Structures are given as structure tokens and as C-alpha cells.
Amino acid sequence: MKEILSSLRDYFDTGQTFDIEWRKTQLRAIIEMLEKETVSLSKALHEDLGKSAEEAWLTEIGFVQHEARFVLRHVAKWARARRVKTPLFLMPGRSRIQPQPRGLALIISPWNYPAQLALSPLIASVAAGNVTVLKPSELSPACAKWFTEMIPKYLDPKAVAVIEAGPEKTSELLKEPFDFIFFTGSTKTAHYITRAAAEHLTPTVLELGGKSPCIVTNCNHIKTAASRIVFAKFLNAGQTCVAPDYILVEEKLKPQLIEALKTAITEQFGPENAPNNFVHIIHKGHYERLCNMLNHGEKILFGGKCTPETLHIAPTLIEADMSHPSMQEEIFGPILPILTLTETDAIGQALKLVAEHPTPLAAYLFSDRKEDVKRAKRLICGGFAHNDALMHLTNAHMPFGGVGQSGHGGSHGQFGFESFSHMRSELLQSQLDIPLRYPPFTESAMKWLRRFMH
Ligand code: NAD
């Protein structure tokens, strides 16, 4: 490991990665790799998670290609120094902000979107001119193997290294000094990562999870709302960081919403308890954790079938309350609790209930009432969608990231580029010297200085 890191650092020191053409070549290589190796990557995603080729393309391969093309188009502009204003007392100097690569970056990625969540930060890292270690999740081994084989084949092997490691080996890796760590995973693991990063004062971006609420009040488009909630929740069998974790629905809308959700599940995923092409749960431990959330006095409204042989859990709707086990932690699976808002001020009740949980990665509101949308501005959360769910993350013009317990720092597009960059302040001063700035500070000098700096 030490050897790999030291040769990456040596390469960084040559200055090669500062070159914009080099960065563009790496981005083109990522696009080409995904183009040429679509079939093998699709196969790996199927092996690890049972993803269909269509879902693999939409949520991973196509998604990353889109991101890479977007960054390729803009990287030269983002990497350029940006002129900013200069105050009078620094005249006739000029000021600018010059993005610089941070150096040696470490990307630690999870298993749930193994390609997207490894390659999207890698795009940002190479675009920003870093040398990079990519540490994929050991829980998606087919994809990890694919990275080990393909990345050195397509990208500059002197600048990008893949290290396969489980938690123990990753802890060893984290003892080494990195210049930046981009971590995607659970809040629990984020504690280990930040503790290790603190030893070297290494800055981090943490892309974590949490319980993303979905609030339904004063909604006249229940059918559309249900279709969007079902898509966002059951995609990847609920193993999506921004999936609606639970629904808070106004009492009078509940029966209609439940019926619409059942219809939408059947339309999108197939018959109750017999879904087609449905992603399986990643491993036995996670499967058991999810199954153990059921049979605690909740009412199963739809689904509920668990198949231990294949680790499948069918899309499941349950009626529950705040004390139910599913409301005690991030679900991260295809179980959707529906909770009732009984107070006349439904939106007020929802906002209060959400605030009782740690700050979520996303929050969704389906409502046709302007006042509800206005009041939802108070919700502290990583991202927000009105009348939609999950789709906000597909817009590369917006930062994607959490707040508080759901993480910090941004990814996607320019926000990812800036996370992987250091924004160096540059003052370009002329030789013209003004004696006022040097001691001794006479009374008249102070008078002028006070005036200039006002
Ligand atoms: P995880 O925290 O278990 O693992 C993530 C990575 O950390 C893996 O590469 C793993 O090998 C490594 N790791 C695990 N334990 C470690 C330890 N003790 N020391 C060092 N490294 C360790 O997370 P996961 O189960 O892979 O992913 C699920 C979680 O990730 C959920 O909470 C989900 O919400 C979150 N997530 C967030 C985003 C986002 O973009 N915000 C995206 C996907 C998933």
C-alpha cells in the first residue's frame, strides 16, 4: 500500500495532472471505458445486486457517462483562475481565485450503486487534477474486481490506483496521510473515517444517509405522487440513500394514497409479492435486519414476502407509528412505513416530526398548497424536491450532499470539482510601493489607513 501511495505522490509531483489536456484525456477514458465495457459492467452489477441491464444503465452506466460528458465540457473553464474584486487599499494589485488539485485523494465507496458512487467522485477527482486511490466496497465484489481490471487499462495507471479492501485493511489504509478523503457510506462508518482523517488534519466530504421523509398534504395529484414515490422508493429495492424512507400523510388523503401506491407498485414492478426483475438485498445480515423490522404490530398493507434463498423482499407497504422499529433507523430496503398526520395543521405536525429525527439527506413534499411549500423551507435537509422524489440528484447544476448527520460537502458537476480542489487565493501585486503600509504608523498615516480600510 505504502509503495502505491508513494508512487502516486511522485507522479503528482511531476505536475502532469495539472495539465488540462491530461485531465480531459482521463475523462474521455472514463467515457470510453463505460462505452466499451457496458456488458461486463452490467454483468458485474447483476452479479452483485441482481440489477437488470436497463436499471444498471439508467442508474449507473448512463448516469456516470452523462456526468463525465458534462464535466469534460466544463472542466477547462472551472479550472481557470477567476478574477475577483480588489479593495482600494490593495490597489493597484489584482486578485483571483485559482483552483488547485489537493494532491492525493482517497475515495471510499459503498455497494448500493457500486459504479455510480465510485466513478462519479473519480470524475471529479481527475477533473480537479488529483492522483487518486479508489477503494470500492468489499460487499459488491464483482464490481470491485471490474474496477481493478478496467481502471488501469483505460486511465493513467500512474495517477489512479484501485485498492480492494474490507474494513480492516481500509483502517490500515486510513493511517496513511491523504490530502483529501471522499467517503460515501453510513453515518456509523463516517465516525471512523473522520477520526482517522483528523490524525492528519485531512479534509473530508461525507456523503451519508438517513431517514428521508416524504410528506403528502393538500395534494390533488395523488396518482402522480404515488408513481413518483414508488419509483424512488423501490428502485434498487430501496437501497438508495435518497429513497423516501417513510411517508407522512394527511389523514383524509391516506386511503386514496394507499390505493394509488398499490397500483403504482403493480404497474412498475409487477404483482404483489411476485415482482419482476427486482433487485435483491445485498447480503444476509442486511436482509435479516430488514425482515426483523416486520412483525411488530404493524399492519401490512401490501407485499411483505421475504425469500431467504434469494435474499428478495417484495415491495412492502406498512401502516406504522413513530415507535415502530422501522422508524428507529434508516430502512435502506423495500419497506415503506406510512404514518398518519392527525392534526388539523398537518404540515406543521409533519415538520415537527421530521425535526425529531437527525437531519436527513433529502426531504420530499407532495402538496398543491403554496403555504405548505413555504413552510417546508424551514426543513433542514441535504436536498429537497417538491412534487418529486430522488430526481433532484440528477441535475448536475446543483450540489448533491447532506447536512448534519447526513454528511457535509458537495458532489456532482462543479460542486464535485470544487470539493476535490483547493481554492487558492492569489494577490498579484505591482512593484509600486506605498509607504503608508509600513510602520511606524504616524497619526496622519493612521488617518489615511482608517479611511482606506473603511
Ligand atoms: P458502509 O459505511 O458500511 O461502507 C461504506 C464503505 O466504507 C465501504 O467501502 C466499506 O468497505 C468501508 N468501511 C466499512 N466499515 C469501515 C470501517 N470500520 N473502517 C473503514 N472503512 C470501512 O456503508 P454501506 O453499507 O456500503 O452503504 C450504505 C450506507 O451508505 C447507507 O447509510 C446509505 O444511506 C449511505 N449512502 C449514502 C450515499 C450518498 O451519496 N449520500 C450514497 C449511497 C449510500
Side-chain angles (χ1 to χ4, degrees), residues 10 72 76 85 110 123 140-141 148 179 200 248 258 299 333 354 404 436:
D10 289 347
L72 179 61
K85 283 186 181 168
I123 288 169
S140 41
T148 307
D179 299 308
H200 300 286
L248 293 170
I258 291 171
K299 185 173 170 193
V354 173
L436 266 181

Side-chain angles (χ1 to χ4, degrees), residues 144-210:
K145 194 164 159 268
W146 188 90
F147 291 131
T148 307
E149 202 183 316
M150 299 302 171
I151 298 254
K153 193 169 148 193
Y154 285 87
L155 279 87
D156 185 345
K158 294 198 260 348
V160 185
V162 180
I163 296 185
E164 291 190 50
E168 232 169 85
K169 197 171 159 196
T170 310
S171 303
E172 283 304 305
L173 184 63
L174 284 164
K175 288 186 185 149
E176 301 299 325
F178 286 91
D179 299 308
F180 180 63
I181 300 175
F182 188 100
F183 171 75
T184 309
S186 63
T187 305
K188 187 175 157 221
T189 310
H191 285 95
Y192 303 123
I193 307 293
T194 37
R195 250 178 244 139
E199 279 302 313
H200 300 286
L201 300 180
T202 303
T204 57
V205 161
L206 302 177
E207 297 282 5
L208 314 178

Side-chain angles (χ1 to χ4, degrees), residues 225-236:
S227 299
R228 292 174 185 180
I229 295 169
V230 162
F231 172 73
K233 175 68 186 186
F234 297 109
L235 184 73
N236 209 28

Side-chain angles (χ1 to χ4, degrees), residues 109-112 117 135 138 185-186 189 207-209 241 330 400:
S109 59
W111 51 264
N112 61 331
L117 297 172
K135 206 295 292 170
E138 71 287 3
S186 63
T189 310
E207 297 282 5
L208 314 178
C241 54
E330 179 185 8
F400 177 69

Side-chain angles (χ1 to χ4, degrees), residues 8 50 54 111 147 174 226 285 326 362 390:
L8 286 170
E54 293 77 14
W111 51 264
F147 291 131
L174 284 164
S326 63
L390 177 147

